[in-house]
């Protein structure tokens, strides 16, 4: 963990083939994942890219919304706008931080993260936004896993907690 911040957690859902999105939305509907997302992010500072902010149904209650964008003129009601990961962490001012996407934002914060809360969708899913498996570099160890079988038209998935190997 670097100075001047508490925990940085990536909160994401990822299909087996690396897909995390399609046409600006999640390519699956898993109500338990949405409930887990709410539980994990409530009370934290959420950091996201502009497209992720635009994909939200509105401001999510109980959370600050920091939007990292290259567009110096962009602004939105309820969003705190920053232009670098360092600025995002400075604005978070030591509060727990949840990184919620998209792929570029995950890539920027992966080296800084302490933990990953991953919903592993246990299928190959079509999509246009990809993220490599964060475990590929060996810098993470699984410290928690909760498997959920497929149910009707809902895909099988697992809630996985990864901790950085120190």
């Amino acid at each position: 963990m670097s100075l001047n911040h508490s925990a940085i957690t990536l909160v994401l859902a990822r299909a087996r083939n690396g897909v995390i999105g399609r046409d600006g939305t999640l390519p699956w509907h898993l109500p338990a994942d949405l409930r887990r997302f709410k539980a994990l992010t409530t009370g934290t500072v959420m950091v996201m890219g502009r497209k992720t902010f635009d994909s939200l149904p509105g401001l999510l209650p109980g959370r600050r919304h920091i939007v990292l964008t290259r567009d110096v003129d962009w602004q939105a009601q309820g969003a705190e706008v920053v232009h670098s990961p360092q600025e995002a962490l400075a604005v978070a001012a030591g509060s727990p931080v949840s990184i919620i996407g998209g792929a570029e934002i995950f890539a920027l914060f992966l080296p800084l993260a302490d933990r990953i809360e991953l919903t592993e969708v246990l299928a190959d899913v079509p999509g246009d936004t990809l993220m490599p498996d964060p475990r590929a570099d060996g810098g993470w160890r699984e410290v928690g896993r909760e498997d959920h079988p497929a149910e009707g038209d809902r895909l099988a998935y697992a809630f996985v907690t990864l901790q950085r190997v120190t």
Side-chain angles (χ1 to χ4, degrees), residues 96-118:
V97 175
S98 297
I99 309 302
I100 66 164
E104 287 183 51
I105 306 303
F106 287 136
L108 287 171
F109 281 92
L110 184 62
L112 306 173
D114 308 294
R115 194 172 83 219
I116 300 172
E117 293 292 349
L118 172 66

Side-chain angles (χ1 to χ4, degrees), residues 15 47 49 78 87 89 127:
V47 176
E87 187 182 356
L89 294 177

Side-chain angles (χ1 to χ4, degrees), residues 3 5-6 13 31 36 41 57 75 85 88 93 117 134 137 151:
L3 294 171
H5 76 80
S6 58
R36 182 173 188 250
T41 60
Q75 54 187 350
E117 293 292 349
D137 70 0
E151 201 174 283

